[in-house]
Amino acid sequence: MIRLYLDEDTMERALLLALRTRGLDVESVLDADRSGYSDLEQLEYAAAHERVPYTNNVGDFHRLHWEFMDSGRSHSGILLVPQQRYSVGEQLRRVMHLASSLSAEQMKNRLEFLSSWS
């Protein structure tokens, strides 16, 4: 099963608790004591710990994904969430759909949009 890494923009307590209650392995930047690190450093940390960043920062992480791919680097996948678009319940439903559909291995080096998982 995928292991999530919620960035500073997405670590709403209600979502974090709901995901954990449903059995997902979720770590936030606060849990990891990585607040204030650059997006690149966050992606590198997530990759090293086999976690999928869950982020509202669509532009930067989209770019970082392609930089990793172009340079032959690997990551555990990235899940992009347009800011202010989904309620906590809707995010939970969509994340659970993705998590039940893709293994950690299948998620590797993938760039997914939460909007694709209804």
Side-chain angles (χ1 to χ4, degrees), residues 19-104:
L19 291 167
R20 286 179 175 163
T21 298
R22 281 153 184 85
L24 283 183
D25 183 340
V26 183
E27 181 179 49
S28 73
V29 297
L30 290 179
D31 296 329
D33 196 26
R34 297 194 55 84
S35 221
Y37 283 76
S38 72
D39 294 333
L40 174 59
E41 291 168 319
Q42 298 290 13
L43 183 55
E44 290 172 336
Y45 173 85
H49 292 87
E50 298 180 341
R51 291 193 173 277
V52 175
Y54 183 84
T55 181
N56 295 137
N57 193 343
V58 174
D60 288 344
F61 276 87
H62 189 271
R63 177 185 48 79
L64 285 169
H65 165 74
W66 290 110
E67 286 177 7
F68 266 57
M69 297 301 94
D70 289 344
S71 66
R73 295 178 72 189
S74 184
H75 61 73
S76 298
I78 300 171
L79 184 52
L80 300 174
V81 188
Q83 200 165 11
Q84 304 291 329
R85 185 164 178 183
Y86 301 110
S87 68
V88 168
E90 185 67 15
Q91 288 179 72
L92 175 63
R93 189 175 67 74
R94 288 172 182 262
V95 169
M96 294 307 296
H97 182 207
L98 180 140
S100 67
S101 299
L102 296 176
S103 68

Side-chain angles (χ1 to χ4, degrees), residues 98-110:
L98 180 140
S100 67
S101 299
L102 296 176
S103 68
E105 187 61 33
Q106 290 170 315
M107 191 65 193
K108 195 171 187 148
N109 294 320
R110 286 177 79 140

